[in-house]
């Protein structure tokens, strides 16, 4: 099943259930000032409020365009009123579209699904490169200096998320939340097992100790030697 990620700066995003339509899952998640806190895999649609608690929607839009995880996202600014100058400013800041709020789950789904029907489908960056590491989403394979890593699916997704957030300490809870809902639910012990396997796979291809334990806090992927 393909996933289309729908990120909203509105706090309601955390309460919105995903929607399955044929072979596509529309997955909702909250978008924070520092970016998404879950794994970004597949096309992205972002809905950014014109007014946010910590910054303006225009600044958030500029941040998204400079974020490698989100630079291909289809960004819609949610305006407070139908103002022509606000629309022009939104587009200049990097938004692809705008809509006048308030919005709800149905409005968001209608807009995202209309993008697909109209041919302006959200794009997806299928390759993530971080130094010698290459994560190829199309092939579901990771390579270090050209050598393939032997990873199971969830270990691949874990590496993908770590590589999207290099040099940042991530708790086990962060990693569990990033991989999304799964059955059976992921627990912290499972994360430790996956981290162990990932470390062995990285060592095997000569990457060394890339995933470091930060005592009492979690793990960090070191992008620098």
């Amino acid at each position: 099943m393909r996933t289309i990620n729908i990120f909203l700066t509105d706090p309601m995003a955390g309460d919105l259930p995903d929607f399955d339509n044929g072979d596509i899952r529309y997955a909702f998640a909250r978008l924070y000032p520092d970016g998404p806190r879950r794994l970004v895999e597949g096309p992205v649609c972002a809905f950014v409020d014109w007014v946010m608690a910590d910054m303006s929607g225009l600044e958030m839009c500029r941040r998204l365009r400079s974020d490698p995880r989100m630079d291909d996202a289809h960004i819609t600014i949610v305006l407070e009123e139908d103002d022509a100058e606000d629309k022009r400013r939104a587009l200049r800041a990097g938004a692809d579209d705008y809509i006048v709020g308030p919005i709800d789950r149905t409005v968001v789904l209608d807009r995202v699904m209309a993008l697909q029907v109209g041919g302006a489908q959200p794009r997806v960056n299928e390759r993530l490169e971080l130094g010698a590491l290459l994560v190829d989403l199309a092939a579901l394979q990771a390579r270090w200096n050209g050598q393939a890593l032997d990873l199971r699916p969830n270990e691949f997704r874990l590496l993908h998320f770590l590589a999207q957030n290099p040099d940042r300490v991530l708790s086990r809870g962060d990693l569990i939340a990033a991989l999304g809902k799964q059955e059976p639910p992921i627990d912290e012990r499972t994360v430790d097992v996956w981290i162990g396997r990932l470390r062995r796979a990285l060592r095997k291809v000569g990457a060394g100790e890339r995933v470091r334990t930060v005592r009492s806090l979690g793990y960090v992927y070191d992008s620098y030697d």
Side-chain angles (χ1 to χ4, degrees), residues 52-137:
M52 300 169 54
D54 302 315
M55 69 181 71
S56 71
L58 296 177
E59 176 59 27
M60 185 68 190
C61 189
R62 296 186 188 100
R63 288 192 180 192
L64 293 178
R65 287 301 180 215
S66 64
D67 186 333
R69 300 169 294 173
M70 304 290 285
D71 56 1
D72 281 337
H74 187 281
I75 301 174
T76 300
I77 291 279
V78 182
L79 301 173
E80 293 196 319
E81 57 186 34
D82 190 2
D83 182 87
E85 179 58 24
D86 288 348
K87 293 175 182 177
R88 285 192 288 270
R89 292 175 67 194
L91 296 175
R92 287 198 297 268
D96 298 289
D97 200 359
Y98 46 78
I99 188 173
V100 178
I103 60 174
D104 57 22
R105 180 174 180 266
T106 300
V107 169
V108 170
L109 283 171
D110 286 346
R111 179 60 66 99
V112 174
M113 295 173 77
L115 285 174
Q116 296 179 288
V117 173
Q121 297 188 25
R123 297 159 293 181
V124 55
N125 189 345
E126 294 188 337
R127 291 166 64 92
L128 186 158
E129 295 187 52
L130 183 64
L133 177 68
L134 168 65
V135 180
D136 188 335
L137 300 184

Side-chain angles (χ1 to χ4, degrees), residues 13 15 22 35 80 82 84 104-105 115-116 163 168 179 182 193-194 205-207 214:
D15 300 321
E80 293 196 319
D82 190 2
D104 57 22
R105 180 174 180 266
L115 285 174
Q116 296 179 288
R168 173 184 170 188
L179 296 187
Q182 295 194 30
V193 171
W194 290 346
V205 296
V214 180

Side-chain angles (χ1 to χ4, degrees), residues 6-18 27-31:
I6 303 176
F7 290 100
L8 298 91
T9 57
D10 192 309
M12 72 172 177
D15 300 321
L16 298 180
D18 295 345
F28 289 90
R30 176 86 181 273
L31 183 60

